[in-house]
Amino acid sequence: MTLQDYLSREGLTFTAFAALIGTKYPRTVERYAKGQQIPDRTMMLRIVDKTRSEVMPNDFYGVGHVAPDTSSSVAPSPGNSPATSPLVEETA
């Protein structure tokens, strides 16, 4: 969830959220929310904490909470299967 979405849903102003995360500059929170600035590590941890992990670091990079794409998985070809691979040692 983006910070902007979180603030809107919770009815929080930039000023109110700035106080929650310990900065006296609401403009900083506005920049975070609008994607104009990425929080540093300390501020990122505060945001994650105060949003109860609803806003995560990946959300600032447009990654979000997306499951990995496994649709392009390629099955091993017969020549590359573990049974025929030269790297697999057979034991007697």
Side-chain angles (χ1 to χ4, degrees):
M1 166 180 290
T2 66
L3 180 58
Q4 183 66 55
D5 290 343
Y6 179 84
L7 296 175
S8 295
R9 188 190 75 197
E10 298 296 316
L12 290 168
T13 63
F14 298 137
T15 302
F17 195 71
L20 281 176
I21 62 172
T23 183
K24 56 185 171 182
Y25 304 108
R27 179 78 174 111
T28 301
V29 173
E30 182 179 1
R31 286 188 203 115
Y32 295 159
K34 292 182 175 182
Q36 298 169 343
Q37 183 177 346
I38 303 287
D40 65 18
R41 185 179 191 282
T42 301
M43 206 53 72
M44 190 77 74
L45 291 172
R46 291 178 186 173
I47 292 168
V48 170
D49 179 55
K50 295 302 180 184
T51 63
R52 298 171 309 280
S53 299
E54 290 190 55
V55 177
M56 298 295 288
N58 282 346
D59 298 323
F60 289 94
Y61 296 96
V63 177
H65 303 281
V66 179
D69 180 15
T70 58
S71 64
S72 64
S73 297
V74 178
S77 65
N80 291 332
S81 68
T84 61
S85 173
L87 301 176
V88 176
E89 273 187 48
E90 292 186 25
T91 58

